[in-house]
Amino acid sequence: MATIVSRSVCLMASSPMRRKTSLALRWWAVDYLVASVLQRDLARYLPLLSGHTLDLGCGNAPYRHLLVNVSRHIGYDIDRLGRADVVGTAVALPFAARSFDSVLCTQVIEHVAEPWRMFDEIARVLRPGGRVLLSAPQAWRLHEQPHDYYRFTCYGLTYLAERASLRVRTWSAQGGVWRLVGQAINNWLWERRHPRGTMRWQLSRVFSLALGMPINLMCAAMDAIFFDPADTLNLVFVIEKPET
């Protein structure tokens, strides 16, 4: 059986199993280049979700406070390490058909071995007219191994949605080639670690943080000027279930 090893914001170059509890970002943060634009776009679309909402792969549910039109929030994940109300897998949701008005699924689908089954389950539990807000990486280093199966393009996500009889309403790319290059450098710097607590570990951390800020500032500025979404880091999709 395919499982999800999900974290709501799993775009962490260091300690990929760590779950974020805060959305605060700093210019020197290792994942600033992707997380800043991801959070910006999610915050823009989250008010579209309403009613009874399933947070699929909720982790610590860091976006729950932005679900301003949601009447009931159900956190769902593979374990209870975060804020899951219900535990289970993404390909066998333990809910009745048409149980939810909305589904939120951020940075989860790349960890599902059979993502088409997850889309089928989302379509099943979603009421007609309901909406899905889903995000997924197009380019990212290996993380949460060995449960790291796919990277997605806008065409791949559109195909999966339409295969499940869902309709893409809109989508956006988080960053272009300059953020992609800067993020790859940050990830490489951050992963070059020595045993924790040693002097070399301390020096490696200082080195990574010292270079992180100029890399983030320069690449964010260049990306704003020369934006190229064909080499994006991540995608956010707003998907609907047709009324009929």
Side-chain angles (χ1 to χ4, degrees), residues 45-55 63-75 100-104 131 133:
Y45 295 129
L46 281 166
L48 295 174
L49 304 186
S50 61
H52 192 184
T53 298
L54 175 64
D55 193 344
Y63 302 108
R64 185 171 182 176
H65 69 289
L66 296 174
L67 295 168
V68 294
N69 296 315
V70 167
S71 58
R72 186 183 181 192
H73 174 276
I74 300 295
F100 295 95
D101 301 294
S102 305
V103 175
L104 172 63
R131 290 172 179 161
L133 180 56

Side-chain angles (χ1 to χ4, degrees), residues 14-232:
S14 64
S15 185
M17 293 300 289
R18 189 174 84 190
R19 294 186 174 194
K20 281 192 173 182
T21 57
S22 172
L23 296 184
L25 287 172
R26 301 292 183 267
W27 280 102
W28 55 85
V30 61
D31 57 348
Y32 173 84
L33 287 169
V34 61
S36 59
V37 285
L38 172 60
Q39 292 173 23
R40 176 202 66 196
D41 289 345
L42 287 174
R44 178 172 46 159
Y45 295 129
L46 281 166
L48 295 174
L49 304 186
S50 61
H52 192 184
T53 298
L54 175 64
D55 193 344
L56 178 56
C58 63
N60 279 323
Y63 302 108
R64 185 171 182 176
H65 69 289
L66 296 174
L67 295 168
V68 294
N69 296 315
V70 167
S71 58
R72 186 183 181 192
H73 174 276
I74 300 295
Y76 184 86
D77 211 322
I78 192 68
D79 55 45
R80 293 192 183 276
L81 293 179
R83 296 181 180 176
D85 301 300
V86 182
V87 172
T89 70
V91 298
L93 300 179
F95 307 107
R98 304 186 176 190
S99 298
F100 295 95
D101 301 294
S102 305
V103 175
L104 172 63
C105 185
T106 61
Q107 309 307 115
V108 171
I109 191 172
E110 72 270 24
H111 303 295
V112 180
E114 298 174 307
W116 53 91
R117 293 181 62 190
M118 189 186 87
F119 264 93
D120 288 342
E121 281 293 275
I122 289 174
R124 182 183 65 81
V125 302
L126 195 64
R127 294 180 181 133
R131 290 172 179 161
V132 182
L133 180 56
L134 180 143
S135 68
Q138 178 171 298
W140 194 256
R141 68 178 294 120
L142 285 173
H143 60 290
E144 303 203 16
Q145 298 98 319
H147 302 289
D148 187 9
Y149 303 112
Y150 303 102
R151 299 295 178 265
F152 295 91
T153 67
C154 59
Y155 302 106
L157 290 175
T158 298
Y159 170 79
L160 288 171
E162 292 179 348
R163 179 191 171 279
S165 299
L166 300 173
R167 179 176 59 215
V168 174
R169 174 173 174 175
T170 189
W171 63 273
S172 60
Q174 286 73 62
V177 65
W178 286 99
R179 284 183 183 262
L180 173 62
V181 170
Q183 189 63 63
I185 295 172
N186 280 342
N187 290 346
W188 180 82
L189 288 170
W190 202 258
E191 286 297 322
R192 293 180 63 80
R193 294 296 188 85
H194 300 280
R196 188 177 181 87
T198 64
M199 179 61 70
R200 287 190 174 186
W201 179 84
Q202 297 284 1
L203 291 174
S204 175
R205 181 176 177 82
V206 170
F207 182 66
S208 298
L209 290 172
L211 288 180
M213 181 177 288
I215 290 172
N216 288 343
L217 288 170
M218 181 187 72
C219 290
M222 291 294 290
D223 202 67
I225 298 170
F226 303 108
F227 181 64
D228 181 4
D231 279 315
T232 190

